[in-house]
Amino acid sequence: DGDSIIDAIDRKFNRHLELTPELCRFFGLFVADGYASNNKNSSVYITSNEKDTNNIRLSESQFQLFGECKVSVSKYQERKAFDVSINSKRHVNLFRDLFYTKDAEKQLPSWYMSIPLNLQKELLRGLFMGDGHFCENRGIKVSIFVTTSNVLAEQVKNLLINNNTIFNFRVVKKGGNRKNQYRFEITGTDILNKEIVEL
């Protein structure tokens, strides 16, 4: 459960963390837009468009909770994006253990379904903050999420079903050597700004 998850992190890093809605949202955002690089720089970072100020602020505040390393914010001029990062081999190992499969595909941690429903919703919200968007056409609201990870796609299905959320799902087959895309559409709610509701 949530307590045992945080206890394990506490023991490894000598930091007290609470599994808050903000931290779960940050975990979801990392799965969507983050990377844990085990090259010589050993950095964990999240890249966000410069317009996504909520994502940048969330990344900076939650990275600070892990302590022991400086949180850096750097801008890509040509990409109109910001990297929020920390440099630490131990943290790289933690994030890779939590958020990657053995085949280096992104995934939610193994405990994602054992936490309370309100925190499961925040995992979803973080995912949509990174790889999702909201649109409204002729008064119909739709939240859309796309991933190329089949493992993550199954996890998102489980979370939506567990939270009684009706959704449409389809596989978009890409040409050449490109990976398939797994596309979710949720009609009637804006996941980025509101609670996920039973439809």
PDB file of all heavy atoms in Angstrom, residues 5-32:
ATOM      1  N   ILE A   5       5.135   1.763   0.443  1.00  0.00           N
ATOM      2  CA  ILE A   5       5.872   2.344  -0.683  1.00  0.00           C
ATOM      3  C   ILE A   5       6.790   3.448  -0.194  1.00  0.00           C
ATOM      4  O   ILE A   5       7.989   3.485  -0.480  1.00  0.00           O
ATOM      5  CB  ILE A   5       4.887   2.923  -1.718  1.00  0.00           C
ATOM      6  CG1 ILE A   5       3.983   1.839  -2.280  1.00  0.00           C
ATOM      7  CG2 ILE A   5       5.642   3.624  -2.847  1.00  0.00           C
ATOM      8  CD1 ILE A   5       2.682   2.375  -2.819  1.00  0.00           C
ATOM      9  N   ILE A   6       6.220   4.363   0.557  1.00  0.00           N
ATOM     10  CA  ILE A   6       6.997   5.500   1.034  1.00  0.00           C
ATOM     11  C   ILE A   6       8.036   5.062   2.052  1.00  0.00           C
ATOM     12  O   ILE A   6       9.143   5.586   2.094  1.00  0.00           O
ATOM     13  CB  ILE A   6       6.063   6.575   1.613  1.00  0.00           C
ATOM     14  CG1 ILE A   6       5.200   7.157   0.478  1.00  0.00           C
ATOM     15  CG2 ILE A   6       6.841   7.683   2.289  1.00  0.00           C
ATOM     16  CD1 ILE A   6       6.001   7.749  -0.663  1.00  0.00           C
ATOM     17  N   ASP A   7       7.710   4.072   2.897  1.00  0.00           N
ATOM     18  CA  ASP A   7       8.691   3.557   3.852  1.00  0.00           C
ATOM     19  C   ASP A   7       9.935   3.052   3.139  1.00  0.00           C
ATOM     20  O   ASP A   7      11.062   3.263   3.594  1.00  0.00           O
ATOM     21  CB  ASP A   7       8.078   2.425   4.689  1.00  0.00           C
ATOM     22  CG  ASP A   7       7.091   2.943   5.716  1.00  0.00           C
ATOM     23  OD1 ASP A   7       7.096   4.163   5.965  1.00  0.00           O
ATOM     24  OD2 ASP A   7       6.314   2.134   6.249  1.00  0.00           O
ATOM     25  N   ALA A   8       9.728   2.366   2.018  1.00  0.00           N
ATOM     26  CA  ALA A   8      10.866   1.833   1.268  1.00  0.00           C
ATOM     27  C   ALA A   8      11.744   2.960   0.737  1.00  0.00           C
ATOM     28  O   ALA A   8      12.972   2.885   0.774  1.00  0.00           O
ATOM     29  CB  ALA A   8      10.379   0.964   0.119  1.00  0.00           C
ATOM     30  N   ILE A   9      11.112   4.027   0.238  1.00  0.00           N
ATOM     31  CA  ILE A   9      11.879   5.181  -0.247  1.00  0.00           C
ATOM     32  C   ILE A   9      12.565   5.880   0.918  1.00  0.00           C
ATOM     33  O   ILE A   9      13.724   6.293   0.820  1.00  0.00           O
ATOM     34  CB  ILE A   9      10.960   6.158  -1.006  1.00  0.00           C
ATOM     35  CG1 ILE A   9      10.411   5.478  -2.266  1.00  0.00           C
ATOM     36  CG2 ILE A   9      11.709   7.434  -1.387  1.00  0.00           C
ATOM     37  CD1 ILE A   9       9.400   6.321  -3.021  1.00  0.00           C
ATOM     38  N   ASP A  10      11.864   6.005   2.041  1.00  0.00           N
ATOM     39  CA  ASP A  10      12.447   6.647   3.229  1.00  0.00           C
ATOM     40  C   ASP A  10      13.720   5.939   3.660  1.00  0.00           C
ATOM     41  O   ASP A  10      14.725   6.569   3.970  1.00  0.00           O
ATOM     42  CB  ASP A  10      11.442   6.642   4.392  1.00  0.00           C
ATOM     43  CG  ASP A  10      10.296   7.618   4.185  1.00  0.00           C
ATOM     44  OD1 ASP A  10      10.374   8.416   3.229  1.00  0.00           O
ATOM     45  OD2 ASP A  10       9.345   7.572   4.967  1.00  0.00           O
ATOM     46  N   ARG A  11      13.680   4.596   3.704  1.00  0.00           N
ATOM     47  CA  ARG A  11      14.844   3.836   4.160  1.00  0.00           C
ATOM     48  C   ARG A  11      16.035   4.022   3.223  1.00  0.00           C
ATOM     49  O   ARG A  11      17.179   4.111   3.662  1.00  0.00           O
ATOM     50  CB  ARG A  11      14.491   2.350   4.275  1.00  0.00           C
ATOM     51  CG  ARG A  11      13.593   2.014   5.452  1.00  0.00           C
ATOM     52  CD  ARG A  11      13.545   0.518   5.689  1.00  0.00           C
ATOM     53  NE  ARG A  11      13.050  -0.206   4.526  1.00  0.00           N
ATOM     54  CZ  ARG A  11      11.752  -0.454   4.301  1.00  0.00           C
ATOM     55  NH1 ARG A  11      10.848  -0.012   5.149  1.00  0.00           N
ATOM     56  NH2 ARG A  11      11.377  -1.130   3.235  1.00  0.00           N
ATOM     57  N   LYS A  12      15.760   4.098   1.937  1.00  0.00           N
ATOM     58  CA  LYS A  12      16.841   4.183   0.951  1.00  0.00           C
ATOM     59  C   LYS A  12      17.469   5.572   0.906  1.00  0.00           C
ATOM     60  O   LYS A  12      18.672   5.718   0.712  1.00  0.00           O
ATOM     61  CB  LYS A  12      16.309   3.809  -0.433  1.00  0.00           C
ATOM     62  CG  LYS A  12      17.409   3.684  -1.491  1.00  0.00           C
ATOM     63  CD  LYS A  12      16.858   3.043  -2.745  1.00  0.00           C
ATOM     64  CE  LYS A  12      17.969   2.819  -3.772  1.00  0.00           C
ATOM     65  NZ  LYS A  12      17.488   2.147  -4.985  1.00  0.00           N
ATOM     66  N   PHE A  13      16.667   6.601   1.119  1.00  0.00           N
ATOM     67  CA  PHE A  13      17.161   7.969   0.926  1.00  0.00           C
ATOM     68  C   PHE A  13      17.173   8.802   2.204  1.00  0.00           C
ATOM     69  O   PHE A  13      17.561   9.968   2.178  1.00  0.00           O
ATOM     70  CB  PHE A  13      16.319   8.682  -0.132  1.00  0.00           C
ATOM     71  CG  PHE A  13      16.494   8.090  -1.498  1.00  0.00           C
ATOM     72  CD1 PHE A  13      15.606   7.145  -1.968  1.00  0.00           C
ATOM     73  CD2 PHE A  13      17.563   8.449  -2.303  1.00  0.00           C
ATOM     74  CE1 PHE A  13      15.768   6.567  -3.220  1.00  0.00           C
ATOM     75  CE2 PHE A  13      17.734   7.888  -3.552  1.00  0.00           C
ATOM     76  CZ  PHE A  13      16.839   6.949  -4.008  1.00  0.00           C
ATOM     77  N   ASN A  14      16.742   8.193   3.328  1.00  0.00           N
ATOM     78  CA  ASN A  14      16.725   8.916   4.599  1.00  0.00           C
ATOM     79  C   ASN A  14      15.928  10.219   4.492  1.00  0.00           C
ATOM     80  O   ASN A  14      16.294  11.243   5.049  1.00  0.00           O
ATOM     81  CB  ASN A  14      18.154   9.219   5.074  1.00  0.00           C
ATOM     82  CG  ASN A  14      18.931   7.965   5.387  1.00  0.00           C
ATOM     83  OD1 ASN A  14      18.402   7.029   5.975  1.00  0.00           O
ATOM     84  ND2 ASN A  14      20.187   7.935   4.975  1.00  0.00           N
ATOM     85  N   ARG A  15      14.874  10.165   3.736  1.00  0.00           N
ATOM     86  CA  ARG A  15      13.973  11.300   3.589  1.00  0.00           C
ATOM     87  C   ARG A  15      12.567  10.830   3.931  1.00  0.00           C
ATOM     88  O   ARG A  15      12.174   9.708   3.615  1.00  0.00           O
ATOM     89  CB  ARG A  15      13.969  11.830   2.152  1.00  0.00           C
ATOM     90  CG  ARG A  15      15.294  12.336   1.658  1.00  0.00           C
ATOM     91  CD  ARG A  15      15.646  13.683   2.218  1.00  0.00           C
ATOM     92  NE  ARG A  15      14.698  14.704   1.782  1.00  0.00           N
ATOM     93  CZ  ARG A  15      14.826  15.979   2.095  1.00  0.00           C
ATOM     94  NH1 ARG A  15      15.823  16.381   2.850  1.00  0.00           N
ATOM     95  NH2 ARG A  15      13.947  16.868   1.668  1.00  0.00           N
ATOM     96  N   HIS A  16      11.807  11.704   4.593  1.00  0.00           N
ATOM     97  CA  HIS A  16      10.418  11.363   4.876  1.00  0.00           C
ATOM     98  C   HIS A  16       9.538  11.902   3.758  1.00  0.00           C
ATOM     99  O   HIS A  16       9.463  13.108   3.539  1.00  0.00           O
ATOM    100  CB  HIS A  16       9.965  11.943   6.212  1.00  0.00           C
ATOM    101  CG  HIS A  16       8.510  11.693   6.470  1.00  0.00           C
ATOM    102  ND1 HIS A  16       8.013  10.426   6.703  1.00  0.00           N
ATOM    103  CD2 HIS A  16       7.450  12.531   6.500  1.00  0.00           C
ATOM    104  CE1 HIS A  16       6.706  10.500   6.884  1.00  0.00           C
ATOM    105  NE2 HIS A  16       6.330  11.765   6.758  1.00  0.00           N
ATOM    106  N   LEU A  17       8.895  11.012   3.025  1.00  0.00           N
ATOM    107  CA  LEU A  17       7.986  11.402   1.961  1.00  0.00           C
ATOM    108  C   LEU A  17       6.574  10.946   2.310  1.00  0.00           C
ATOM    109  O   LEU A  17       6.376   9.870   2.866  1.00  0.00           O
ATOM    110  CB  LEU A  17       8.399  10.773   0.634  1.00  0.00           C
ATOM    111  CG  LEU A  17       9.688  11.263  -0.013  1.00  0.00           C
ATOM    112  CD1 LEU A  17       9.935  10.507  -1.309  1.00  0.00           C
ATOM    113  CD2 LEU A  17       9.622  12.758  -0.297  1.00  0.00           C
ATOM    114  N   GLU A  18       5.615  11.761   1.950  1.00  0.00           N
ATOM    115  CA  GLU A  18       4.215  11.415   2.121  1.00  0.00           C
ATOM    116  C   GLU A  18       3.605  11.236   0.741  1.00  0.00           C
ATOM    117  O   GLU A  18       3.853  12.039  -0.166  1.00  0.00           O
ATOM    118  CB  GLU A  18       3.486  12.530   2.868  1.00  0.00           C
ATOM    119  CG  GLU A  18       2.021  12.247   3.112  1.00  0.00           C
ATOM    120  CD  GLU A  18       1.324  13.398   3.823  1.00  0.00           C
ATOM    121  OE1 GLU A  18       2.029  14.349   4.230  1.00  0.00           O
ATOM    122  OE2 GLU A  18       0.095  13.354   3.960  1.00  0.00           O
ATOM    123  N   LEU A  19       2.839  10.178   0.548  1.00  0.00           N
ATOM    124  CA  LEU A  19       2.227   9.921  -0.748  1.00  0.00           C
ATOM    125  C   LEU A  19       1.023  10.838  -0.924  1.00  0.00           C
ATOM    126  O   LEU A  19      -0.116  10.463  -0.695  1.00  0.00           O
ATOM    127  CB  LEU A  19       1.822   8.448  -0.866  1.00  0.00           C
ATOM    128  CG  LEU A  19       1.576   7.932  -2.287  1.00  0.00           C
ATOM    129  CD1 LEU A  19       2.858   8.001  -3.105  1.00  0.00           C
ATOM    130  CD2 LEU A  19       1.061   6.508  -2.257  1.00  0.00           C
ATOM    131  N   THR A  20       1.296  12.043  -1.328  1.00  0.00           N
ATOM    132  CA  THR A  20       0.279  13.081  -1.475  1.00  0.00           C
ATOM    133  C   THR A  20      -0.311  13.069  -2.882  1.00  0.00           C
ATOM    134  O   THR A  20       0.260  12.458  -3.802  1.00  0.00           O
ATOM    135  CB  THR A  20       0.900  14.467  -1.232  1.00  0.00           C
ATOM    136  OG1 THR A  20       1.902  14.694  -2.245  1.00  0.00           O
ATOM    137  CG2 THR A  20       1.535  14.551   0.152  1.00  0.00           C
ATOM    138  N   PRO A  21      -1.416  13.771  -3.095  1.00  0.00           N
ATOM    139  CA  PRO A  21      -1.931  13.916  -4.462  1.00  0.00           C
ATOM    140  C   PRO A  21      -0.912  14.543  -5.403  1.00  0.00           C
ATOM    141  O   PRO A  21      -0.789  14.122  -6.560  1.00  0.00           O
ATOM    142  CB  PRO A  21      -3.156  14.825  -4.277  1.00  0.00           C
ATOM    143  CG  PRO A  21      -3.624  14.533  -2.879  1.00  0.00           C
ATOM    144  CD  PRO A  21      -2.361  14.315  -2.093  1.00  0.00           C
ATOM    145  N   GLU A  22      -0.151  15.516  -4.904  1.00  0.00           N
ATOM    146  CA  GLU A  22       0.841  16.177  -5.750  1.00  0.00           C
ATOM    147  C   GLU A  22       1.949  15.213  -6.163  1.00  0.00           C
ATOM    148  O   GLU A  22       2.397  15.229  -7.319  1.00  0.00           O
ATOM    149  CB  GLU A  22       1.441  17.384  -5.030  1.00  0.00           C
ATOM    150  CG  GLU A  22       0.500  18.540  -4.806  1.00  0.00           C
ATOM    151  CD  GLU A  22      -0.478  18.289  -3.663  1.00  0.00           C
ATOM    152  OE1 GLU A  22      -0.216  17.397  -2.821  1.00  0.00           O
ATOM    153  OE2 GLU A  22      -1.516  18.981  -3.610  1.00  0.00           O
ATOM    154  N   LEU A  23       2.394  14.361  -5.231  1.00  0.00           N
ATOM    155  CA  LEU A  23       3.456  13.415  -5.558  1.00  0.00           C
ATOM    156  C   LEU A  23       2.962  12.383  -6.575  1.00  0.00           C
ATOM    157  O   LEU A  23       3.686  12.027  -7.509  1.00  0.00           O
ATOM    158  CB  LEU A  23       3.962  12.725  -4.291  1.00  0.00           C
ATOM    159  CG  LEU A  23       5.170  11.800  -4.468  1.00  0.00           C
ATOM    160  CD1 LEU A  23       6.367  12.561  -5.037  1.00  0.00           C
ATOM    161  CD2 LEU A  23       5.549  11.143  -3.130  1.00  0.00           C
ATOM    162  N   CYS A  24       1.725  11.906  -6.412  1.00  0.00           N
ATOM    163  CA  CYS A  24       1.177  10.956  -7.378  1.00  0.00           C
ATOM    164  C   CYS A  24       1.013  11.604  -8.749  1.00  0.00           C
ATOM    165  O   CYS A  24       1.280  10.974  -9.778  1.00  0.00           O
ATOM    166  CB  CYS A  24      -0.164  10.414  -6.880  1.00  0.00           C
ATOM    167  SG  CYS A  24       0.001   9.257  -5.497  1.00  0.00           S
ATOM    168  N   ARG A  25       0.583  12.862  -8.757  1.00  0.00           N
ATOM    169  CA  ARG A  25       0.469  13.574 -10.033  1.00  0.00           C
ATOM    170  C   ARG A  25       1.838  13.704 -10.693  1.00  0.00           C
ATOM    171  O   ARG A  25       1.992  13.542 -11.906  1.00  0.00           O
ATOM    172  CB  ARG A  25      -0.137  14.956  -9.790  1.00  0.00           C
ATOM    173  CG  ARG A  25      -0.763  15.601 -11.015  1.00  0.00           C
ATOM    174  CD  ARG A  25      -1.378  16.945 -10.647  1.00  0.00           C
ATOM    175  NE  ARG A  25      -2.201  16.835  -9.448  1.00  0.00           N
ATOM    176  CZ  ARG A  25      -2.274  17.770  -8.501  1.00  0.00           C
ATOM    177  NH1 ARG A  25      -1.559  18.880  -8.594  1.00  0.00           N
ATOM    178  NH2 ARG A  25      -3.046  17.590  -7.453  1.00  0.00           N
ATOM    179  N   PHE A  26       2.852  13.975  -9.885  1.00  0.00           N
ATOM    180  CA  PHE A  26       4.225  14.069 -10.370  1.00  0.00           C
ATOM    181  C   PHE A  26       4.693  12.728 -10.929  1.00  0.00           C
ATOM    182  O   PHE A  26       5.334  12.678 -11.996  1.00  0.00           O
ATOM    183  CB  PHE A  26       5.123  14.519  -9.216  1.00  0.00           C
ATOM    184  CG  PHE A  26       6.594  14.346  -9.455  1.00  0.00           C
ATOM    185  CD1 PHE A  26       7.294  15.209 -10.284  1.00  0.00           C
ATOM    186  CD2 PHE A  26       7.295  13.319  -8.833  1.00  0.00           C
ATOM    187  CE1 PHE A  26       8.656  15.056 -10.498  1.00  0.00           C
ATOM    188  CE2 PHE A  26       8.655  13.157  -9.036  1.00  0.00           C
ATOM    189  CZ  PHE A  26       9.339  14.030  -9.873  1.00  0.00           C
ATOM    190  N   PHE A  27       4.379  11.628 -10.257  1.00  0.00           N
ATOM    191  CA  PHE A  27       4.751  10.311 -10.758  1.00  0.00           C
ATOM    192  C   PHE A  27       4.118  10.067 -12.134  1.00  0.00           C
ATOM    193  O   PHE A  27       4.758   9.549 -13.046  1.00  0.00           O
ATOM    194  CB  PHE A  27       4.323   9.215  -9.789  1.00  0.00           C
ATOM    195  CG  PHE A  27       5.171   9.111  -8.545  1.00  0.00           C
ATOM    196  CD1 PHE A  27       4.676   8.485  -7.408  1.00  0.00           C
ATOM    197  CD2 PHE A  27       6.457   9.617  -8.516  1.00  0.00           C
ATOM    198  CE1 PHE A  27       5.464   8.359  -6.262  1.00  0.00           C
ATOM    199  CE2 PHE A  27       7.251   9.506  -7.384  1.00  0.00           C
ATOM    200  CZ  PHE A  27       6.751   8.879  -6.251  1.00  0.00           C
ATOM    201  N   GLY A  28       2.833  10.413 -12.275  1.00  0.00           N
ATOM    202  CA  GLY A  28       2.183  10.256 -13.568  1.00  0.00           C
ATOM    203  C   GLY A  28       2.836  11.108 -14.638  1.00  0.00           C
ATOM    204  O   GLY A  28       3.042  10.661 -15.775  1.00  0.00           O
ATOM    205  N   LEU A  29       3.180  12.348 -14.282  1.00  0.00           N
ATOM    206  CA  LEU A  29       3.832  13.242 -15.232  1.00  0.00           C
ATOM    207  C   LEU A  29       5.192  12.698 -15.642  1.00  0.00           C
ATOM    208  O   LEU A  29       5.576  12.774 -16.820  1.00  0.00           O
ATOM    209  CB  LEU A  29       3.984  14.634 -14.621  1.00  0.00           C
ATOM    210  CG  LEU A  29       4.682  15.689 -15.490  1.00  0.00           C
ATOM    211  CD1 LEU A  29       3.918  15.931 -16.784  1.00  0.00           C
ATOM    212  CD2 LEU A  29       4.852  16.992 -14.712  1.00  0.00           C
ATOM    213  N   PHE A  30       5.929  12.126 -14.687  1.00  0.00           N
ATOM    214  CA  PHE A  30       7.232  11.544 -15.033  1.00  0.00           C
ATOM    215  C   PHE A  30       7.075  10.405 -16.035  1.00  0.00           C
ATOM    216  O   PHE A  30       7.843  10.294 -16.994  1.00  0.00           O
ATOM    217  CB  PHE A  30       7.976  11.050 -13.797  1.00  0.00           C
ATOM    218  CG  PHE A  30       9.271  10.366 -14.159  1.00  0.00           C
ATOM    219  CD1 PHE A  30      10.409  11.109 -14.409  1.00  0.00           C
ATOM    220  CD2 PHE A  30       9.335   8.985 -14.314  1.00  0.00           C
ATOM    221  CE1 PHE A  30      11.595  10.492 -14.799  1.00  0.00           C
ATOM    222  CE2 PHE A  30      10.504   8.363 -14.707  1.00  0.00           C
ATOM    223  CZ  PHE A  30      11.642   9.121 -14.948  1.00  0.00           C
ATOM    224  N   VAL A  31       6.089   9.540 -15.818  1.00  0.00           N
ATOM    225  CA  VAL A  31       5.884   8.427 -16.736  1.00  0.00           C
ATOM    226  C   VAL A  31       5.586   8.951 -18.140  1.00  0.00           C
ATOM    227  O   VAL A  31       6.024   8.383 -19.142  1.00  0.00           O
ATOM    228  CB  VAL A  31       4.749   7.511 -16.232  1.00  0.00           C
ATOM    229  CG1 VAL A  31       4.371   6.474 -17.274  1.00  0.00           C
ATOM    230  CG2 VAL A  31       5.168   6.817 -14.935  1.00  0.00           C
ATOM    231  N   ALA A  32       4.862  10.059 -18.228  1.00  0.00           N
ATOM    232  CA  ALA A  32       4.523  10.621 -19.535  1.00  0.00           C
ATOM    233  C   ALA A  32       5.690  11.375 -20.161  1.00  0.00           C
ATOM    234  O   ALA A  32       6.017  11.161 -21.334  1.00  0.00           O
ATOM    235  CB  ALA A  32       3.323  11.562 -19.390  1.00  0.00           C
TER     236      ALA A  32
END
